[in-house]
Each structure stands twice: as C-alpha cells, then as structure tokens.
Amino acid sequence: METVPVWLRERRTGVGRPAERSRAEVTAAAIALADREGLTAVSMRRVAAELGTGPASLYRYVDGRDDLLDLMTDEVAAGYQLSAPGGPWLPGLLAVCRQGRDLMRRHGWLPELVLTRSALGPHGTDLLEHVLAVLAAHPASVGHKLEAFGVMTTLTAALALHELNAGAAQRQGAYLAHVVAAGRHPHLAAALTGGPTTPAPRFEDTVSRVLVGLLGE
C-alpha cells in the first residue's frame, strides 16, 4: 500500500506516447464530475471518460481513487481567500470557517471527505499556516491550536452537511412529532413542546462557542 502522499510522488512517464494530461487536469475533471453527479460517481474509469482517455492513462498521475479524493479536497482548499492576519483571533477563525462553509455548500461532496479522510496537501497546509498565524499571539499551547484547527474544520463540515441534508432534517422532524404524540418519551416531549423555543443557533454562534471552549476568551 502506497504511504507516500500523492503530492510527493513523481509523475510516471510510462512507455509509448507522452502523457497528454496533467495532474491538475485530472483533478479538475474529478471535481467537475463530483459536482455534477456526486462523490459516488468518481472513479478512475469515469474520470478518464471525462478527459476522453482510457483509465490506464490516469495511473501516470495517481495510484487510484484515494489519490483522486485527496487531490480534490486539497484543490478546493485553494478557494480560501486568506488575508493577512490581524486583530482578535476569534473573528479571524470565524472568517475561515465561513469560507469553508461556503466552499462545502458549493461542493456538496466535500463535507463527507473532510469528515472521513485526513489529507493535508499544499493548499490545506497553507490554510493551517494561516490559522496558526491568526493564533500566533494566543497563549494556548501549540497542541491546543492544532486541535482547534481540526475541530473547526470538522465542525464546519458537520454543520454544512446538516444544511445540505435539509430533506433528512424534515423527515427527522416528522418522526419526532410522531414520538411526542405517542407519549412514551416525556422528557423529549417537554423539550420540544414546553413553551417558547429558542431559535437554532447560527453557524457562527455554534463555532464560536466551541472555539472559545477550546481556547478560552
């Protein structure tokens, strides 16, 4: 099993005709396919078809689908607009999270990859460097700062995925209404029906409370 990250591997030259594509073109084709048809559509065969070539030709650039997924995730991270750090740390991190949320809503397949795979390529490393720069003056340990980066990324993905799955939330609400009517879960019924409800917290509120909990005021 290949343990060297795809970004550190040399492109294979192969034999016969020289390569007609680049790793960037392969990545762009995979992203376009996932945007159009979802993550399950991404395979070596389908990406090769997007490029008008045979699957075997892709092995000059990647070892398989896992490489494609890592390249896709990192390439989307190029979409962050990382301005020079300055000012309080929390607004700086929230700005990153808002951009991440926008990217994940634009590429509906991305939250799943962020939540299930650990891939940090060139653009992801730039993002981590930016977050650490925002936190440079913060007294927290390096370990806690790295933990905050992981948590903010994961939480952003989870919240974006929840927003993208609006249909599932509606089905959940319908089932909870049935449960309340059945009368076998009194605490849940009280929580859902016991007077005025507080509006669901905004994205920024949720992320802020978690980050302050991790790093302090």
Side-chain angles (χ1 to χ4, degrees), residues 2-217:
E2 182 65 72
T3 59
V4 178
V6 61
W7 301 280
L8 298 181
R9 281 184 245 138
E10 295 293 331
R11 180 179 64 80
R12 298 180 178 87
T13 56
V15 295
R17 293 187 305 171
E20 298 177 351
R21 303 291 181 179
S22 66
R23 184 175 284 169
E25 289 177 294
V26 172
T27 304
I31 290 173
L33 180 60
D35 285 346
R36 190 173 67 246
E37 299 184 33
L39 195 60
T40 56
V42 177
S43 68
M44 298 289 278
R45 179 182 63 80
R46 289 295 309 278
V47 173
E50 288 281 302
L51 294 168
T53 187
S57 67
L58 297 192
Y59 289 97
R60 295 188 176 192
Y61 313 100
V62 295
D63 281 356
R65 185 173 186 267
D66 284 348
D67 282 353
L68 282 176
L69 299 182
D70 289 347
L71 289 167
M72 291 164 63
T73 302
D74 190 69
E75 182 58 31
V76 172
Y80 283 92
Q81 301 297 317
L82 304 176
S83 56
W89 65 270
L90 185 56
L93 296 190
L94 288 177
V96 172
C97 293
R98 282 192 296 269
Q99 290 190 58
R101 178 199 189 196
D102 290 343
L103 289 170
M104 291 177 194
R105 294 175 68 176
R106 197 177 311 150
H107 303 281
W109 47 269
L110 182 58
E112 179 183 341
L113 291 186
V114 172
L115 291 169
T116 59
R117 300 181 63 83
S118 177
L120 200 62
H123 299 303
T125 303
D126 290 342
L127 181 62
L128 174 56
E129 173 69 16
H130 176 77
V131 168
L132 292 176
V134 170
L135 293 172
H138 195 286
S141 68
V142 173
H144 284 160
K145 292 176 182 180
L146 293 173
E147 180 185 29
F149 174 76
V151 168
M152 63 187 274
T153 303
T154 301
L155 181 58
T156 297
L159 294 175
L161 187 61
H162 178 74
E163 293 176 8
L164 290 166
N165 290 337
Q170 291 175 352
R171 291 191 297 273
Q172 180 78 80
Y175 180 72
L176 288 176
H178 167 78
V179 168
V180 168
R184 295 192 300 273
H185 300 78
H187 295 288
L188 179 58
L192 295 176
T193 63
T197 59
T198 302
R202 296 182 301 128
F203 172 83
E204 291 87 350
D205 293 338
T206 300
V207 176
S208 294
R209 285 185 284 117
V210 171
L211 289 175
V212 169
L214 284 172
L215 298 171
E217 295 289 348

